Amino acid sequence: MIRDALRAIGQLGDPQFRSVVLLGIGLSVGLLVGFSALVLFGLQLLVGPEATLPWIGTVTWLDDLSFWAAIPVLVVLSVVLMVPVASAFTGLFLDRIAGAVETRHYPNAPPPRKQGMAEMIQDSAQFLGLVLGVNLLALIAYVVFAPLALFIFWGVNGFLLGREYAQMSAARHLPPEEALKFRKRHKGQIFGAGVLMVIPLTIPIVNLLVPVLGAATFTHLFHRLHRP
């Protein structure tokens, strides 16, 4: 798992991969801004024109939330919201990242099977719904076991994102039912790789790179574990 992650990081210097990384970061930022806007809009509906945010203080939505005030809000929200961002990322961009990894590291691998955009978006939407639903339920555990909240967050989302990234990486080359068998067969390593991905998701700024590196890591993991 760690070797897979290091190989993904090592490709950051590849000029061809770098352009994909920059596009991936741009997509991550766009998704983060979108999710943040939804959360802030929901807070405005719930608490009215003012709210007190951790580390930021009182925010008056119409006046104080200018461009510069929005930046620290976005940084704080990214600690939590990068998990659904990483989930939404897979259906939109995983194929491109995996293609760049396979071009460099697995040139003799069979070409990926043809997947329609509708199939990839549907799978990603299902996983995203699961991620959001489970995390809403996990809020109870975060409150009840507050000292362990961070570890619960890592464990829950490591399982969810590992499941998603492994399934969709495998589905590029295997029929869905075979991809499911692959995921179940290697669930221990997949969980470990998922946790390894989630931990840096809680580090602002660094987390913008994680969806890209996660997609690359799980591509390496699939090719390492899959035996035709």
Side-chain angles (χ1 to χ4, degrees), residues 113-122:
R113 71 182 184 91
K114 293 188 180 297
Q115 289 178 277
M117 181 60 70
E119 176 189 343
M120 291 188 289
I121 292 178
Q122 179 182 356

Side-chain angles (χ1 to χ4, degrees), residues 96-221:
R96 189 161 185 170
I97 296 292
V101 171
E102 289 172 350
T103 296
R104 175 172 177 176
H105 293 280
Y106 309 100
N108 298 321
R113 71 182 184 91
K114 293 188 180 297
Q115 289 178 277
M117 181 60 70
E119 176 189 343
M120 291 188 289
I121 292 178
Q122 179 182 356
D123 289 345
S124 184
Q126 289 174 345
F127 278 118
L128 176 59
L130 181 63
V131 166
L132 292 174
V134 171
N135 274 282
L136 285 174
L137 292 175
L139 286 174
I140 300 172
Y142 299 153
V143 173
V144 174
F145 304 103
L148 301 175
L150 184 60
F151 298 100
I152 296 171
F153 180 84
W154 286 344
V156 168
N157 289 290
F159 171 78
L160 292 171
L161 290 182
R163 181 178 185 267
E164 177 176 3
Y165 274 62
Q167 177 77 22
M168 297 190 75
S169 295
R172 295 184 71 250
H173 293 278
L174 304 174
E177 58 276 8
E178 291 299 318
L180 178 61
K181 290 179 182 177
F182 168 84
R183 177 167 58 80
K184 290 183 176 179
R185 188 161 56 245
H186 302 290
K187 58 186 177 183
Q189 291 199 54
I190 288 169
F191 173 69
V195 172
L196 197 63
M197 176 181 172
V198 167
I199 290 174
L201 274 179
T202 56
I203 304 173
I205 309 302
V206 173
N207 53 16
L208 294 174
L209 268 175
V210 174
V212 176
L213 294 176
T217 297
F218 276 90
T219 300
H220 285 297
L221 182 144

